[in-house]
Amino acid sequence: MRICLLEDDLELGRSLQALLQNAEHEVMWLRRIADAKLWLQEGGFDAVVLDLGLPDGDGMELLLRIRRSDRKLPVLIITARDAIEHRLDGLDGGADDYLVKPFAGSELLARLRAVTRRSLPADADEAAAEWQLRDLVLDEPRMEVRRGIERVSLSRTEFSLLLTLVKLPDRVVTRRQLESRAPCQMDGRSLDVHISNLRRKIGEGYIRTVRGVGYLVERH
């Protein structure tokens, strides 16, 4: 794979570049947002490994720029920011995963494999699918949701959670199942936050809590 690595720390950057190259990846290591904008505009990358604390700006700015032009390019955030609010901001901003420093090199490689696997196209039948729940329509290939004629703006994680529930109507989906199928590593608290945000955006009456087990959506 061809990977764009954004990390301003010289020692860590060298280590990560060597780690990725030893795993047989081609690495473009950059230290500034301005340089990254130029290289990403050229395209051809299979994934981005992005530090948030960069000398000429915040990596979140670059993440939002990437998502405006390419919704599918896998982005793995690496950062020392470990608060739950920071993780949620990163994931809701479009990151596919969020890894807090310090971390093991083997974990970085495993998470990179996971986010790039998820970016592979689905088979033709599934890629063409729309899923409907009452007046909600989920367009899976475009990752869009409509309620009637109105479009509902969801983050990647929110869309993934809703899609998982809609694909299994009238069945209880456990918390563990939802956490494992989310496009990022998730714990119980962040799952609750995402479900709460989903209810606020799509309206009450769609997602029902099964206390101590998980959630379900009903067809009627």
Side-chain angles (χ1 to χ4, degrees):
M1 291 192 301
R2 187 165 185 251
I3 296 170
C4 182
L5 168 64
L6 271 294
E7 172 58 63
D8 69 311
D9 183 274
L10 284 172
E11 183 177 351
L12 180 57
R14 290 192 185 105
S15 297
L16 293 178
Q17 184 181 42
L19 173 75
L20 293 167
Q21 288 175 337
N22 288 339
E24 301 185 345
H25 299 303
E26 181 185 346
V27 182
M28 172 62 68
W29 173 28
L30 304 170
R31 300 178 62 203
R32 295 170 55 86
I33 290 176
D35 296 330
K37 288 177 180 178
L38 294 174
W39 280 100
L40 288 168
Q41 188 174 352
E42 295 294 322
F45 290 103
D46 299 299
V48 177
V49 178
L50 173 63
D51 183 20
L52 294 182
L54 296 168
D56 59 337
D58 194 312
M60 283 297 298
E61 172 200 338
L62 182 61
L63 174 62
L64 296 174
R65 184 185 181 97
I66 291 171
R67 282 295 168 249
R68 283 195 294 268
S69 61
D70 189 337
R71 299 189 64 182
K72 294 185 178 180
L73 178 64
V75 178
L76 170 59
I77 286 176
I78 54 170
T79 182
R81 302 175 190 176
D82 60 354
I84 183 66
E85 292 81 7
H86 294 144
R87 295 201 296 271
L88 292 178
D89 285 345
L91 295 169
D92 286 341
D96 295 275
D97 205 349
Y98 191 105
L99 186 56
V100 176
K101 301 175 183 178
F103 49 79
S106 56
E107 183 178 8
L108 172 70
L109 293 175
R111 294 205 187 198
L112 193 56
R113 287 194 298 270
V115 299
T116 51
R117 259 198 322 269
R118 289 195 291 265
S119 72
L120 295 174
D123 59 53
D125 290 339
E126 189 170 353
E130 281 193 344
W131 302 84
Q132 186 156 4
L133 176 71
R134 285 172 262 167
D135 61 343
L136 283 180
V137 176
L138 283 70
D139 185 327
E140 187 171 4
R142 293 187 175 87
M143 296 182 65
E144 292 180 354
V145 178
R146 300 187 305 276
R147 183 179 181 186
I149 62 172
E150 298 292 330
R151 181 176 172 184
V152 181
S153 178
L154 300 182
S155 71
R156 290 166 63 87
T157 301
E158 291 163 355
F159 182 88
S160 177
L161 293 173
L162 181 59
L163 182 64
T164 298
L165 290 166
V166 169
K167 284 184 174 181
L168 299 168
D170 301 319
R171 287 175 52 185
V172 177
V173 182
T174 67
R175 297 176 65 87
R176 181 172 296 179
Q177 286 175 313
L178 285 169
E179 290 167 3
S180 68
R181 297 186 187 186
C184 60
Q185 192 172 44
M186 182 174 292
D187 57 28
R189 181 182 172 190
S190 57
L191 175 62
D192 292 336
V193 171
H194 283 300
I195 293 293
S196 176
N197 288 339
L198 260 178
R199 284 175 167 151
R200 174 175 54 81
K201 291 179 178 181
I202 67 174
E204 294 293 334
Y206 292 97
I207 301 174
R208 183 157 69 86
T209 301
V210 181
R211 191 173 298 277
V213 182
Y215 300 91
L216 68 82
V217 296
E218 297 172 320
R219 288 189 179 93
H220 304 292

